[in-house]
Amino acid sequence: MIQGLGMQASDWPSELVEELASDRRLFVFDNRDAGLSQLFGPAIDGNLMPNDFPDHRPSEHSAPYTLVDMADDVAKLLDAVNVGQAHLVGFSMGGMIAQIVAARHRSHVASLVGLMTSAGQAWLESSAVADQMLRQSIQFEPDHRRLLDMWLKAEEVYAGPTLLPDSAVRRQAIAQSIARAYRPAGIWRQACAMHATGDRQALLGTIVAPSLMIHGEEDPVIDLQQSRHAKTLMPQTEFRSLADTGHALTEDNAAPIADLSNSFWSGIDANTDLQTSIGHSS
C-alpha cells in the first residue's frame, strides 16, 4: 500500500486496512521523506513559501529524486521482504508510483489499484482552493494550534462532499500524525519529484498488469477525467467512480473501496486458478 503526497503509513484509515487485511497480508510503509523513513534533506525549511510549490512553470530547483526512484524503493522493499509478486494499492501520488512500478518491475506486480490518482499527465487539474491547500502544506507553521487548524481545513477541502468524522476526532488524528513526523520540506521534495518526473502517459501504455481505478466524482485535487483517461492508455483497466466523493479515504468510503478491490482481486485469482488448471491438464 503506497501513500500519497506527504502522507504517512499511519494515515491509512483503519477501517480500510482491516477490510483489506481480512484475507490478505498487507505491507504498509512510509515513502522516502515521509513519516519515519529516510529524509533526503531537512525536515523543515523556513525559507519555503507556498509559491515554491512546483507547478506547470519550469522549476529553478533540482529535485533530489523522482517518482521513478520512489517506485524503485517499492521494488526493493518487496525484495527485502521476500515477496515475489504483490497487488499494489496506491493513493493519489502513491497511485502514480504504483503505475511506474507496474511498468518498470512487471514481474513484481500481480495487479494495480489506483485510488484517486491520475493517468500519467504532467500536471494535476486541481480546484483553486485545493491548489492553495497543497501549496500551504510545504510552509513551516511553528504554532501547533494554527497547524492543526490548517490541516483540518485542508482535509475538508480535499474531501469535498465525502463524509468526514467530527472535527474533534480528526483533530486528534492529525495531532498524532504531526507528533509522529512533521516534514513540510519533505512534502516539497516529493512534490518536486512529481514535477521532475513529467508526463508518464507513454509509460502507462506499457503496463500489462490488470488495473482498477477508483475515483471520487467530485475530487478537487485530481479531476475525474484525468483518472478516467487511464482506460484509453490501459485497455485492461476497470474504472469505477464514487458519487459524492472527493479526494479522501475515510471510514465512510472504506467499505465500498474494499468491496471493489476485493471483487477485482477475486476475478484475478479465479482467472489465475483457471489458467493453472488448464496448464496442468495439458
Side-chain angles (χ1 to χ4, degrees), residues 132-145:
Q132 179 186 10
M133 293 295 99
L134 288 169
R135 291 177 176 276
Q136 286 184 358
S137 68
I138 68 173
Q139 183 175 357
F140 172 56
E141 175 51 72
D143 185 279
H144 187 68
R145 181 179 293 275

Side-chain angles (χ1 to χ4, degrees), residues 38-51:
Q38 180 183 350
L39 279 164
F40 283 74
I44 293 168
D45 183 344
N47 294 318
L48 285 175
M49 294 290 119
N51 198 47

Side-chain angles (χ1 to χ4, degrees), residues 7 11 35 37 42-43 58 62-63 66 71 88 112 144 217 253 278:
M7 300 187 72
D11 292 330
S37 281
S62 59
T66 70
L88 301 184
L112 174 65
H144 187 68
E217 292 183 0
N253 60 25
I278 293 174

